[in-house]
C-alpha cells in the first residue's frame, strides 16, 4: 500500500475515534461545556454539549477539502510534476494533522481542560503542518 494511502487511512481512523469518543460521552455531559480557556486554565466561555457533534463534521469536511485540492492538483499538473509524490504525501500529512488538531480540540472540551497535553498538542500539530507544507514544496521544487 502506498504511504499516502496509509496516512489517509490513519487520518480517517482519527476522525472515527473522535466521533466515537464524542458519542460515547455525550449523554453524561452537562448542558453547557467550557469552550475556551485562558493561560491559567480557567474557562472564558461555554458552549452547548450538542455543539460537540460539529467537531467530527468539520473534521470530515476538512479531510474532503484537502482530498479535493489534491485531486485538483493532479488534474492540472502531471504526476511527473509531483516530484516523486512529495506533494501528494504533504496533502496526506495535512489531512492527518487537521484530524489530530480537531481531536485535540475535542479532548480539551471533553476533559474540561484537565488534560494539558491537548492544549500543547494543537500548536505543535499546526507547526508540523506548516513545516510539512514548506518542506515538501522546497523538496518538490528541487526534485523537478
Amino acid at each position: 500500500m502506498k504511504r499516502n494511502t496509509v496516512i489517509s487511512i490513519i487520518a480517517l481512523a482519527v476522525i472515527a475515534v473522535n466521533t466515537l469518543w464524542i458519542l460515547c460521552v455525550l449523554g453524561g455531559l452537562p448542558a453547557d461545556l467550557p469552550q475556551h480557556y485562558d493561560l491559567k486554565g480557567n474557562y472564558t466561555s461555554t458552549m452547548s454539549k450538542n455543539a460537540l457533534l460539529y467537531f467530527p463534521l468539520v473534521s470530515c469536511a476538512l479531510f474532503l477539502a484537502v482530498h479535493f485540492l489534491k485531486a485538483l492538483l493532479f488534474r492540472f499538473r502531471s504526476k511527473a510534476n509531483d516530484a516523486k509524490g512529495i506533494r501528494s504525501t504533504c496533502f496526506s500529512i495535512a489531512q492527518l494533522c487537521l484530524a489530530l488538531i480537531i481531536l485535540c480540540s475535542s479532548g480539551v472540551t471533553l476533559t474540561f481542560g484537565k488534560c494539558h497535553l491537548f492544549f500543547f498538542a494543537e500548536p505543535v500539530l499546526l507547526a508540523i503542518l506548516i513545516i510539512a507544507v514548506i518542506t515538501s514544496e522546497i523538496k518538490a521544487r528541487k526534485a523537478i
Side-chain angles (χ1 to χ4, degrees):
M1 204 179 308
K2 288 184 177 181
R3 176 178 46 201
N4 302 335
T5 306
V6 172
I7 296 171
S8 293
I9 290 172
I10 293 170
L12 287 172
V14 168
I15 294 169
V17 165
N18 191 15
T19 304
L20 289 174
W21 187 17
I22 289 171
L23 291 176
C24 287
V25 300
L26 191 64
L29 294 173
D32 289 326
L33 299 172
Q35 182 179 12
H36 290 283
Y37 294 86
D38 60 14
L39 293 175
K40 295 179 183 177
N42 302 317
Y43 69 91
T44 57
S45 65
T46 60
M47 70 179 191
S48 166
K49 74 176 182 179
N50 293 330
L52 275 174
L53 296 173
Y54 290 113
F55 283 76
L57 294 175
V58 168
S59 193
C60 286
L62 287 172
F63 181 89
L64 291 174
V66 172
H67 183 75
F68 288 127
L69 283 173
K70 181 178 167 182
L72 282 173
L73 174 75
F74 291 114
R75 182 175 182 148
F76 295 112
R77 289 183 166 185
S78 67
K79 285 194 177 194
N81 199 14
D82 183 34
K84 302 176 185 174
I86 294 171
R87 287 187 180 110
S88 181
T89 302
C90 177
F91 277 102
S92 299
I93 291 171
Q95 288 174 323
L96 180 59
C97 284
L98 290 170
L100 287 170
I101 288 169
I102 293 178
L103 176 68
C104 289
S105 295
S106 300
V108 167
T109 303
L110 292 173
T111 61
F112 298 96
K114 301 281 191 266
C115 185
H116 297 291
L117 173 67
F118 292 122
F119 282 118
F120 298 112
E122 285 178 339
V124 169
L125 287 166
L126 188 58
I128 289 170
L129 174 62
I130 292 167
I131 290 168
V133 168
I134 293 170
T135 305
S136 68
E137 191 58 33
I138 291 170
K139 284 185 176 183
R141 288 184 187 270
K142 285 183 181 178
I144 292 177

